[in-house]
Amino acid sequence: MPLSPRVPELGALELLLAVARLGSVGRAAVQLGVSQPAASARIKGMERQIGVPLLERSPRGSRPTEAGRLVVEWARGVVEAAEALDAGIEALREHRDARLTVVASLTVAEYLMPGWLLALHQTSPDTSVTLRTANSADVAAHVLAGDADLGFVEGPTTPAGLDGAVVAADRLVVVVAPGHPWARRRTPLTGAELAATPLVLREPGSGTREVFELALAPYGGAGTPRLELASSTALKAAAMTGAGPVCLSELAVTEELATGRLVAVPVEGVDLHRPLRAVWPAGQRPAGPARELLGLTRKR
């Protein structure tokens, strides 16, 4: 049942209690940080709303009428309940702002998240962060289930049921060991060659695998993998030991390419670029430290 229009707003009741306690509209106005004319107008508006006079005014100050004393007594319980509600909400916000759970794809977690979390610690040192890793499909599932405040995925689109924002860009590269025949190629690989070659790839459900398979769809799709491995570290190790060509994030092989432990093989006619996204449940904007972390990723 809706409240009657005769019920005053909370701020007006708080002002009436201050007048009853201090004996003056002027002193109540000072305590609440409003002007005396504004306080007087608010009291008069409340009297019109209720339909009875609430204060007796004199040169010595103001005091509640008989009806005003009843309203003051009732208002006291209402304001105390509102103060308890306010304290409870603040406690909830403090608890929310003290903890942050993030679930991220392996590439983001290994190569981007450390810098982002360091920046978050510098701005909010009291925030406790839990970082979990999963492939992009599982990241989406965790965020949809409410197991994380914010997720980070790799892939061409935002997963169903989630909203998202692009926070970084990445590119997949094909790499081989220095002794592999492709390391000495004079011409770029074609999409048809990639589709016909068994590669060492990430497992199904990973953003890397999804982007690679989508890129090769015009060429009949990716062939059966030589191996399926669940991390960039495992992929790099497989490539360096000669297991075969590997397709993985350029972020993951910067050091290995610089030191010559792996060789990038040029590819033409295949778009291996991909966005990296922050994701959250559709219709729910990130709040507290999740919103702060999202802002830091965009700045960096």
Side-chain angles (χ1 to χ4, degrees):
M1 179 178 177
L3 291 174
S4 163
R6 294 185 297 275
V7 177
E9 63 175 0
L10 189 61
L13 295 178
E14 188 178 24
L15 174 61
L16 178 63
L17 291 179
V19 174
R21 184 173 62 254
L22 299 172
S24 163
V25 174
R27 286 193 288 271
V30 170
Q31 185 178 80
L32 296 179
V34 298
S35 68
Q36 181 168 343
S40 296
R42 198 166 200 177
I43 291 292
K44 290 177 181 178
M46 183 165 47
E47 290 176 324
R48 288 193 299 269
Q49 181 181 8
I50 293 175
V52 296
L54 300 175
L55 295 179
E56 294 177 354
R57 298 162 178 84
S58 71
R60 295 186 300 275
S62 300
R63 63 178 184 177
T65 63
E66 182 177 351
R69 285 193 291 272
L70 287 173
V71 175
V72 165
E73 188 61 31
W74 297 330
R76 185 172 290 112
V78 173
V79 172
E80 288 175 352
E83 289 172 345
L85 175 62
D86 187 30
I89 291 173
E90 182 62 25
L92 288 175
R93 291 177 63 88
E94 288 178 356
H95 177 74
R96 180 203 67 188
D97 292 349
R99 299 189 62 83
L100 173 64
T101 300
V102 178
V103 59
S105 65
L106 294 177
T107 298
V108 176
E110 291 179 4
Y111 302 103
L112 295 175
M113 194 60 66
W116 294 342
L117 292 183
L118 177 60
L120 179 66
H121 178 73
Q122 291 170 343
T123 58
S124 300
D126 295 330
T127 297
S128 173
V129 180
T130 298
L131 173 61
R132 300 171 183 162
T133 60
N135 66 34
S136 291
D138 289 337
V139 168
H142 283 303
V143 174
L144 284 170
D147 297 334
D149 303 300
L150 197 63
F152 291 87
V153 297
E154 313 155 19
T157 60
T158 302
L162 301 177
D163 287 337
V166 174
V167 297
D170 187 24
R171 182 171 71 98
L172 301 184
V173 293
V174 176
V175 298
V176 294
H180 191 279
W182 282 4
R184 298 183 295 276
R185 282 184 66 104
R186 296 182 179 274
T187 58
L189 287 167
T190 65
E193 286 179 290
L194 278 179
T197 303
L199 272 66
V200 181
L201 298 174
R202 284 287 305 276
E203 80 286 1
S206 77
T208 299
R209 180 73 171 267
E210 181 185 8
V211 170
F212 182 71
E213 291 181 339
L214 185 64
L216 289 186
Y219 304 95
T224 302
R226 183 183 299 273
L227 288 173
E228 293 179 338
L229 301 173
S231 73
S232 296
T233 301
L235 288 174
K236 290 189 291 184
M240 287 187 285
T241 56
V246 170
C247 182
L248 77 173
S249 167
E250 187 174 37
L251 293 170
V253 291
T254 301
E255 181 180 350
E256 288 77 11
L257 294 178
T259 57
R261 287 179 289 169
L262 289 174
V263 177
V265 185
V267 178
E268 68 177 6
V270 181
D271 184 8
L272 294 176
H273 292 84
R274 62 176 178 173
L276 305 178
R277 286 182 173 84
V279 294
W280 55 87
Q284 302 178 27
R285 293 293 298 174
R291 180 177 59 191
E292 187 175 359
L293 177 61
L294 179 59
L296 289 170
T297 65
R298 291 170 168 175
K299 290 178 182 178
R300 296 173 71 89

